[in-house]
């Protein structure tokens, strides 16, 4: 049974860093596109980044080179390293998997089969 669980959220000062982790069970990294989303308060969910089995990564424009998505197949973990955080990055962050063998150019509009419960990131100005 598939299950995803995020951790690593917290409160940081503007300009700080956080590393989010997602424990993934029930999916094989080699043939799945997996992603990170976020939901700002009162707004729609938006795609942040996605990664596929070969390590190819995709990022939303607002990431601007500040975030890095990665995965560790041996540990069944997916990560989102976030640097130079801004108050505008304050949101609930979710990881997701299932339903896509690879990350196409439409990755940002993907709906996945499974989502985690989310981890809150708060950036103080």
């Amino acid at each position: 049974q598939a299950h995803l669980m995020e951790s690593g959220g917290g409160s940081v000062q503007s300009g700080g860093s956080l590393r989010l982790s997602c424990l993934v069970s029930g999916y094989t990294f080699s043939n799945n596109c997996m992603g990170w989303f976020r939901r700002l308060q009162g707004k729609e969910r938006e795609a942040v980044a996605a990664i596929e089995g070969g390590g190819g990564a995709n990022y939303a424009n607002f990431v601007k080179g500040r975030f890095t998505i990665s995965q560790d197949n041996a540990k069944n973990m997916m990560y989102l390293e976030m640097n130079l955080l801004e108050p505008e990055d304050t949101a609930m962050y979710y990881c997701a998997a299932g339903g896509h063998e690879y990350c196409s150019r439409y990755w940002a509009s993907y709906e996945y089969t499974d989502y985690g419960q989310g981890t809150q990131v708060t950036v103080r100005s």
Side-chain angles (χ1 to χ4, degrees):
Q1 185 173 350
H3 183 67
L4 296 93
M5 185 170 66
E6 305 91 342
S7 61
S11 179
V12 296
Q13 286 287 126
S14 179
S17 299
L18 282 173
R19 186 194 197 200
L20 305 184
S21 299
C22 177
L23 176 62
V24 181
S25 60
Y27 287 102
T28 303
F29 281 67
S30 62
N31 60 355
N32 274 281
C33 176
M34 301 181 186
W36 285 96
F37 291 82
R38 69 185 189 182
R39 187 187 300 275
L40 283 68
Q41 190 170 5
K43 296 189 177 182
E44 295 292 319
R45 186 186 67 196
E46 58 185 5
V48 177
I51 188 168
E52 56 190 9
N58 301 272
Y59 298 95
N61 289 336
F62 61 77
V63 169
K64 302 172 191 175
R66 300 179 297 133
F67 296 1
T68 302
I69 188 172
S70 62
Q71 58 190 31
D72 185 331
N73 295 0
K75 296 181 179 179
N76 293 329
M77 296 293 293
M78 181 172 62
Y79 304 100
L80 185 68
E81 183 78 32
M82 304 187 296
N83 300 311
L84 299 175
L85 283 163
E86 305 165 351
E88 293 74 22
D89 295 315
T90 295
M92 185 72 79
Y93 284 73
Y94 304 85
C95 58
H100 304 279
E101 292 187 6
Y102 63 95
C103 302
S104 76
R105 58 178 175 162
Y106 303 109
W107 67 273
S109 63
Y110 278 179
E111 290 289 340
Y112 292 86
T113 304
D114 292 284
Y115 294 81
Q117 293 299 307
T119 185
Q120 177 67 37
V121 171
T122 301
V123 185
R124 307 184 304 276
S125 59

